[in-house]
Amino acid sequence: MNWNSWSEFFSMGGYGFYVWGSYLVSVICIAGEIWLLSNRWRTLQKSLGQRVESTIREKKNEATS
Amino acid sequence: MSINWYKYASPASFYFLAGKMIWYFSIAAAVLLIAGLYIGFFVAPTDFQQGEAYRIIFIHVPVAWMSMFLYVVMAFWAGIGLAFNTRLSSMVATAIAPTGAMFTFLALWTGAWWGKPMWGAWWVWDARLTSELILLFLYIGFMSLQAAIDDPRRADKAGAIIALVGVVNIPIIYFSVQWWNTLHQGASVSITQSPKMATAMLAGMLIMSLAAWMYSIAMILKRTRAIILERERHTTWVAELKGTKR
C-alpha cells in the first residue's frame, strides 16, 4: 500500500494538482460522451416511435374513410 | 462449421447482434477500469524519478494508444466502404470518429498535465506532440466534412478519402520519438525489448488499455446502432421494430 492516509492520497506527493487534473478531465470527457450518446439514442427512439404510430393512425383512417 | 459472415454485413442483422454485445463490452470495460485504477493507484510503486506524477501514465498511454489505433480502424472501414460500397462499413467508420477524437483530446490534455510538472511546459512544438495535434485535426476534419454533406453516401466517400490520406500521420506519431530529437520519452512498451518498468506499473497500464478497448467497442457499437436507425428509418425492418424490444 502506497498511502498512509487519504490526505496523502489526494496530495500525490505534491503532484495532486496535475494527477487529479488529468483524471478529472478524463472522467468528464468519458461521462460526457456516454451522456451525449444516450441522449441521441433516446431522441431517436422517441421520434421513431411517433413516426410509426402516426403511420399506423393514417392507415386506420384510410381504412375507415 | 459454416457461419454466414455476410449476414452481418447487413445493417439489420448487425443492429440486433450489436444490441446484445454492447452489454458485455460495457461490463468488461467497467470491471477492467476498476481493476486498472486499483493497481495504478494502490499496487504500483512510486517512480524513483518522477515520484507520484508518473501515475498519469495509467490514463495517458491507454488514451494515446487508442487515439492512434482507432484512427487506423476508422480509415480501414472507411476504405472498405469506399472500395466495396458496403453501407455498414462506412457507418462504423463514422461511428468511430467521435470516440477517437475524444481519446486524442485526452492524450493531449493528460500529456500537457504531465509535461508541466516534468518538463516545465504545458506544451512544446515537439514532433510527437505536434503530430498528435494533427491527428485531432484529422478527426475533426473527418467529422465536419461528413456533417457538411447532406447525402450520407457521398459524405461516406468524401470522409473515406480524408481518413485514408490521414493514415500517413499514424507512423509519424509512432516513430516521431525515434526519428526526431524530442522531449517526449521513447516507447514505454516494445515487442523487441523487455519492459523498462515495474511489473505492477506495466500491468496497470495494460489493464487500463484493455478497459479503453472495451469502452471504445461498446461506444462504437452503440453509435453505429444509432446511425443505422437514423439512416434506415424509412425501411420496413425499422418500422417493424415498434412493439419489439430494441
Side-chain angles (χ1 to χ4, degrees):
Chain A
M1 187 60 82
N2 297 307
W3 324 99
N4 297 315
S5 69
W6 281 108
S7 64
E8 216 179 292
F9 178 70
F10 288 118
S11 85
M12 280 286 144
Y15 292 114
F17 177 68
Y18 300 103
V19 173
W20 300 122
S22 344
Y23 278 88
L24 184 70
V25 172
S26 308
V27 169
I28 292 170
C29 283
I30 289 166
E33 193 191 8
I34 295 172
W35 185 76
L36 281 174
L37 188 53
S38 51
N39 235 6
R40 178 180 179 177
W41 184 254
R42 268 197 306 274
T43 321
L44 188 60
Q45 294 291 331
K46 220 182 265 174
S47 75
L48 277 179
Q50 280 165 357
R51 200 181 67 81
V52 173
E53 271 163 32
S54 71
T55 41
I56 293 169
R57 230 176 288 133
E58 274 165 30
K59 275 185 189 160
K60 266 189 194 162
N61 289 346
E62 277 166 25
T64 50
S65 63
Chain B
M1 205 168 74
S2 71
I3 301 170
N4 185 8
W5 290 105
Y6 291 108
K7 191 183 151 204
Y8 294 105
S10 129
S13 18
F14 178 87
Y15 178 89
F16 293 107
L17 180 70
K20 283 178 213 143
M21 278 158 50
I22 286 168
W23 289 107
Y24 298 116
F25 287 110
S26 307
I27 292 164
V31 171
L32 288 165
L33 180 73
I34 293 166
L37 286 175
Y38 177 78
I39 294 172
F41 280 100
F42 296 101
V43 181
T46 307
D47 189 71
F48 77 101
Q49 275 182 325
Q50 303 198 354
E52 307 298 351
Y54 95 92
R55 292 187 198 275
I56 296 173
I57 204 173
F58 299 113
I59 190 82
H60 178 72
V61 170
V63 297
W65 278 346
M66 283 319 286
S67 73
M68 292 190 279
F69 183 73
L70 284 179
Y71 191 91
V72 175
V73 177
M74 180 181 89
F76 172 78
W77 286 117
I80 295 284
L82 186 67
F84 300 104
N85 220 13
T86 41
R87 283 171 301 155
L88 183 61
S89 329
S90 304
M91 292 183 206
V92 172
T94 307
I96 292 173
T99 304
M102 187 207 64
F103 279 131
T104 312
F105 167 76
L106 282 182
L108 291 165
W109 179 275
T110 56
W113 285 64
W114 197 0
K116 182 65 183 167
M118 288 303 128
W119 306 337
W122 297 101
W123 179 264
V124 283
W125 291 101
D126 170 91
R128 174 54 75 78
L129 279 67
T130 310
S131 51
E132 183 76 12
L133 183 66
I134 292 169
L135 183 70
L136 181 63
F137 292 154
L138 281 169
Y139 275 120
I140 294 172
F142 177 87
M143 289 190 287
S144 12
L145 185 67
Q146 291 207 322
I149 301 173
D150 286 330
D151 175 22
R153 294 300 289 140
R154 281 190 59 210
D156 285 344
K157 287 183 182 130
I161 291 166
I162 207 179
L164 287 169
V165 171
V167 168
V168 76
N169 189 41
I170 298 297
I172 295 179
I173 302 174
Y174 191 78
F175 292 110
S176 58
V177 286
Q178 295 174 22
W179 292 346
W180 290 284
N181 205 349
T182 78
L183 208 50
H184 197 284
Q185 68 195 61
S188 312
V189 179
S190 125
I191 302 168
T192 49
Q193 289 166 336
S194 59
K196 300 181 199 84
M197 57 171 99
T199 320
M201 291 181 188
L202 185 69
M205 212 171 78
L206 293 178
I207 290 171
M208 287 294 276
S209 304
L210 272 178
W213 271 69
M214 296 299 124
Y215 169 81
S216 306
I217 296 171
M219 293 311 271
I220 290 161
L221 288 178
K222 181 89 177 167
R223 196 176 286 110
T224 308
R225 285 186 103 211
I227 294 170
I228 290 173
L229 282 190
E230 280 160 12
R231 290 202 189 173
E232 312 239 318
R233 61 198 318 161
H234 299 297
T235 59
T236 36
W237 77 267
V238 173
E240 281 162 4
L241 283 176
K242 181 69 189 170
T244 60
K245 199 166 166 276
R246 20 173 202 240

